[in-house]
Amino acid sequence: MFKYILKRLFISLLTILVLVTIVFILVRLMPGDPFSSDKLTPEIRLNLERYYGFDKPLIIQYITYIKNLLIGDFGYSMKYVNQSVNSIIADSFPYSFDLGMRGLSISISLGIVLGLIAALNRGKSLDYVSIIIAIIGTSVPDFIIGGLLQYFFGIKWGMFPVAQYKGLEYTVLPSIALGFYTLAMVSRLMRASMLEVVQQDYIKTAKSKGISKFRITYKHQIRNAIMPVVTVLGPTVASVLTGTFVIESIFAIPGMGKYYVQSVQNLDYTLILGMTVFYGAFLVIANMIVDILYGMIDPRIRIAGR
Amino acid sequence: MEKFTDLNYIDIKLFNTVGKNTTQMEAISRPNLTYWKDAWRRIKQNKAAFIGLIIIVIYVFFAVFGPMMNNYDYTAVNSSKMNQFVSSDHWFGTDELGRDLWTRVWRGARVSLTIGFLSTILNTIIGGLVGGISGYYGGTLDLFLMRFIDILYGIPYLIVSILVMVVLGPGMSSLIIAMVIVGWIGTARFVRGEVLRIKEQDFVAAAKVLGVSDMEIIIKHIIPNIMGLIITNLTMAVPRAIFNEAFLSYIGLGISPPECSWGILAKSGIKMLRIYPYQLFIPSFFICTTMLALNLLGDGMRDALDPRLRGTE
């Protein structure tokens, strides 16, 4: 197990390094530069370039960036004057994280429950309700769900505020819009794996031993059926957190997505780099933790890794 | 009467020997079904998947011929006819610049569907080649390729395609390139796993012992065995590609106006949502039904093409 964790840690670190390098190169390949939109005299421009170190060779700039990164310094934004990338991230990330966690917890808990109910009532009306929810969830993109929720619950019926993020009632619509797709995926997966587990021999054994139905469901079926759901948690976390980009722009939430899209449009090199690296590293680490947890839960991996 | 009820009274002379019929003994009584014929039969039996297929065919038809069905151009601005509701003149109404939405929806369908299918097919070809070679030959090459892919796999998909889009500039071809750059990795992983599984099986060992060349083993034995899974995977990936196009266009990095796609239409629809909700509802309907149709078709394909999954779900 220890060896397995070490291996995952090593791969994750390499991934982050490759990510930094790719983004560093891509950012420099972008047409135009951060100062091209302002009208500057050549002297000021040269000074600015010297200030940000653009006059040095690319490889030196890269090494400096990596060095600063190691002490957690992302540098200063080129468009938001006097704001460090660290402070922008510190301001905006909590919104994205909060929204992401709400979306994730709604979708995973409700998804598992819905899949469970569907599988236990196979072929009955509750099953069809869950299938319909799953079909809608997987075929409607989140920005459309966001727009429709805004229209019906916000504008037509006035039940929830349409935009911004200032309290519990503000979080309801964006969290649902964000989590709906994942909810559908999880419930589908849970239903399928429950139905598979029911046919296994150990369930028959448990039944023949006279264990109560509730205990069989709780102790034997759910525990085994939940494994496939745990495997997809890593990619799920990634997709939910990237989904916040769109949801934030629809609901005017001041999270990272808004700054990210703006920094890309402004060619704000340091902000693009910092946000991508931060965000990418966050996702890579989240994925790694899920993988390690999975290894701990599943005895087959736990023993094989020793 | 009594004679026939008692078995002992049946006279042997009532019977005569037919003998062996050597000509019909070996005849196959039913038509021979190949794998693909069988799969097609199953798809036809699966109502949901067949409806999905029909919807896709209809949309492709309209994507090709829809914009020609009336006299409006998808870029033609008409300031006297802004934000008109559905009418006999404008079948889907007009947008905030007075452009005909029927033409724009089908023009957008053309762009979105092309991007969806083309990028997925390219992904499958590249990923399939890399994964196949890596899985079949194994050894150091495999080790390096897989470590490389492991590292790339962890990088968030959309972030890289956002940056690639900025570098390449907006447009349909750069959207396809951006999606292929990040998209082949998943296919390569999956194809490699399948090749590894197949190549250890006895029929491949038998072919090798008989002296069949590597090339022939790959073409005749391995590819036909994973083709079903690859096609299923492809069908499932098309809606994801359409969705990503819509996402990138939505944040302003995909298709640039006046060209339009479903993502662009949804984006401008959301802008006008408060006053003219039909401008969001109409393109949304087509995006959702396409995704739905492709998902249903994908499920049906999986059931039809992958014998291992038959009977589950």
Side-chain angles (χ1 to χ4, degrees):
Chain A
M1 191 64 207
F2 184 65
K3 212 173 139 192
Y4 175 73
I5 294 178
L6 267 188
K7 193 183 144 203
R8 283 298 280 120
L9 203 66
F10 181 68
I11 289 183
S12 303
L13 281 177
L14 256 181
T15 308
I16 294 172
L17 187 69
V18 172
L19 178 70
V20 175
T21 316
I22 290 177
V23 177
F24 192 86
I25 295 168
L26 279 178
V27 164
R28 297 306 154 109
L29 283 176
M30 289 176 188
D33 64 69
F35 312 121
S36 55
S37 58
D38 316 324
K39 291 191 176 69
L40 300 171
T41 59
E43 293 80 27
I44 299 179
R45 206 190 150 87
L46 214 67
N47 266 336
L48 268 174
E49 280 178 3
R50 194 170 306 143
Y51 177 74
Y52 286 110
F54 288 168
D55 51 344
K56 299 197 184 75
L58 208 59
I59 184 80
I60 306 269
Q61 290 180 37
Y62 177 69
I63 292 170
T64 325
Y65 190 77
I66 296 282
K67 265 186 199 158
N68 286 336
L69 209 57
L70 286 178
I71 53 169
D73 181 8
F74 288 114
Y76 280 85
S77 163
M78 294 174 174
K79 284 282 166 175
Y80 300 94
V81 182
N82 273 336
Q83 281 209 53
S84 71
V85 175
N86 293 46
S87 73
I88 293 179
I89 291 177
D91 283 346
S92 58
F93 181 65
Y95 287 105
S96 301
F97 185 75
D98 186 76
L99 178 60
M101 284 301 130
R102 278 171 205 273
L104 210 57
S105 49
I106 287 181
S107 55
I108 291 172
S109 55
L110 282 185
I112 288 176
V113 171
L114 199 66
L116 206 60
I117 292 174
L120 293 178
N121 295 292
R122 188 181 186 181
K124 292 180 195 154
S125 50
L126 270 176
D127 190 17
Y128 290 113
V129 170
S130 93
I131 291 176
I132 289 169
I133 291 180
I135 287 176
I136 296 173
T138 41
S139 24
V140 187
D142 50 6
F143 50 90
I144 291 180
I145 292 192
L148 295 180
L149 285 176
Q150 261 183 339
Y151 181 70
F152 286 109
F153 290 92
I155 300 168
K156 262 209 147 162
W157 302 327
M159 286 157 79
F160 295 102
V162 178
Q164 292 189 323
Y165 207 70
K166 289 187 290 202
L168 187 64
E169 73 266 31
Y170 288 86
T171 64
V172 177
L173 295 185
S175 314
I176 295 175
L178 182 63
F180 205 61
Y181 176 80
T182 316
L183 191 159
M185 288 293 287
V186 170
S187 79
R188 232 174 117 170
L189 201 63
M190 187 69 195
R191 176 177 179 272
S193 86
M194 271 298 278
L195 290 180
E196 206 191 309
V197 166
V198 173
Q199 296 172 345
Q200 297 291 323
D201 287 341
Y202 54 78
I203 300 292
K204 268 184 211 145
T205 314
K207 263 184 203 160
S208 58
K209 283 199 304 193
I211 298 175
S212 72
K213 212 179 164 196
F214 175 77
R215 251 180 93 88
I216 291 178
T217 310
Y218 178 72
K219 277 244 166 187
H220 297 271
Q221 292 179 0
I222 297 180
R223 283 199 173 189
N224 285 294
I226 222 158
M227 291 311 281
V229 179
V230 180
T231 22
V232 298
L233 273 186
T236 303
V237 171
S239 80
V240 168
L241 288 179
T242 358
T244 57
F245 277 42
V246 173
I247 302 297
E248 278 167 19
S249 80
I250 293 178
F251 288 93
I253 297 165
M256 266 178 70
K258 184 192 137 208
Y259 281 99
Y260 191 76
V261 174
Q262 266 175 18
S263 71
V264 168
Q265 280 153 1
N266 286 337
L267 291 175
D268 190 339
Y269 288 174
T270 40
L271 193 54
I272 300 176
L273 258 171
M275 290 214 147
T276 315
V277 171
F278 180 80
Y279 195 71
F282 183 80
L283 291 187
V284 168
I285 290 168
N287 222 333
M288 185 185 80
I289 292 173
V290 169
D291 268 9
I292 291 175
L293 280 182
Y294 183 60
M296 283 174 170
I297 300 170
D298 192 341
R300 281 166 298 188
I301 294 181
R302 192 168 65 211
I303 290 161
R306 248 175 211 159
Chain B
M1 285 305 285
E2 208 191 342
K3 232 178 179 178
F4 291 102
T5 45
D6 192 341
L7 281 175
N8 292 329
Y9 279 90
I10 295 177
D11 195 351
I12 191 113
K13 279 173 194 150
L14 286 171
F15 301 94
N16 50 2
T17 347
V18 176
K20 272 187 186 172
N21 184 341
T22 41
T23 49
Q24 280 182 5
M25 219 165 70
E26 301 281 325
I28 295 165
S29 56
R30 285 176 199 186
N32 192 4
L33 273 185
T34 62
Y35 178 60
W36 297 106
K37 275 187 197 154
D38 185 40
W40 172 240
R41 215 191 57 197
R42 277 169 204 281
I43 287 271
K44 274 197 296 190
Q45 276 171 357
N46 185 338
K47 276 196 196 101
F50 199 62
I51 291 172
L53 184 65
I54 289 173
I55 293 178
I56 298 298
V57 170
I58 292 173
Y59 283 4
V60 168
F61 172 82
F62 275 111
V64 177
F65 298 106
M68 301 171 205
M69 286 179 182
N70 59 18
N71 295 324
Y72 300 102
D73 185 60
Y74 73 101
T75 53
V77 175
N78 187 345
S79 54
S80 62
K81 281 187 171 178
M82 290 188 296
N83 296 318
Q84 280 190 352
F85 192 63
V86 180
S87 65
S88 62
D89 203 17
H90 293 282
W91 299 332
F92 286 165
T94 58
D95 68 359
E96 84 267 25
L97 293 173
R99 292 176 292 198
D100 179 54
L101 271 179
W102 166 273
T103 346
R104 280 180 75 73
V105 161
W106 296 118
R107 177 77 196 182
R110 209 182 273 184
V111 172
S112 290
L113 292 176
T114 311
I115 290 173
F117 282 104
L118 210 59
S119 70
T120 325
I121 289 170
L122 286 177
N123 272 345
T124 309
I125 292 174
I126 296 174
L129 276 178
V130 174
I133 290 170
S134 176
Y136 188 76
Y137 290 104
T140 340
L141 178 79
D142 183 43
L143 195 75
F144 275 112
L145 272 175
M146 277 307 121
R147 284 294 151 273
F148 180 63
I149 282 175
D150 268 350
I151 290 167
L152 289 184
Y153 197 68
I155 293 175
Y157 185 100
L158 274 170
I159 283 195
V160 177
S161 38
I162 286 174
L163 294 178
V164 173
M165 280 311 292
V166 180
V167 173
L168 294 176
M172 203 159 107
S173 47
S174 32
L175 259 174
I176 294 175
I177 294 172
M179 282 185 204
V180 172
I181 284 180
V182 281
W184 64 273
I185 298 166
T187 322
R189 263 179 96 138
F190 144 81
V191 170
R192 174 180 172 268
E194 283 304 308
V195 170
L196 277 183
R197 193 175 61 79
I198 301 272
K199 86 168 183 185
E200 297 302 327
Q201 288 186 13
D202 290 341
F203 63 89
V204 175
K208 256 189 196 155
V209 171
L210 288 172
V212 181
S213 69
D214 274 0
M215 217 43 222
E216 216 168 321
I217 290 181
I218 292 178
I219 292 172
K220 285 212 166 147
H221 296 284
I222 294 186
I223 292 182
N225 270 299
I226 57 175
M227 209 53 202
L229 280 172
I230 288 182
I231 288 182
T232 309
N233 201 40
L234 201 142
T235 328
M236 302 288 215
V238 174
R240 236 175 299 146
I242 292 176
F243 173 79
N244 285 340
E245 180 277 320
F247 173 86
L248 287 171
S249 297
Y250 186 84
I251 61 173
L253 287 169
I255 301 288
S256 63
E259 187 61 83
C260 74
S261 71
W262 281 347
I264 298 254
L265 290 173
K267 181 188 180 170
S268 50
I270 285 180
K271 258 194 304 188
M272 307 299 281
L273 183 64
R274 278 164 192 252
I275 326 162
Y276 305 109
Y278 70 92
Q279 290 184 12
L280 173 67
F281 293 164
I282 291 170
S284 301
F285 174 79
F286 289 104
I287 299 179
C288 299
T289 42
T290 306
M291 302 274 243
L292 176 63
L294 283 167
N295 281 331
L296 291 177
L297 184 61
D299 278 354
M301 292 273 237
R302 191 189 52 198
D303 293 346
L305 293 174
D306 188 353
R308 283 176 307 168
L309 285 169
R310 256 169 223 165
T312 63
E313 215 174 349

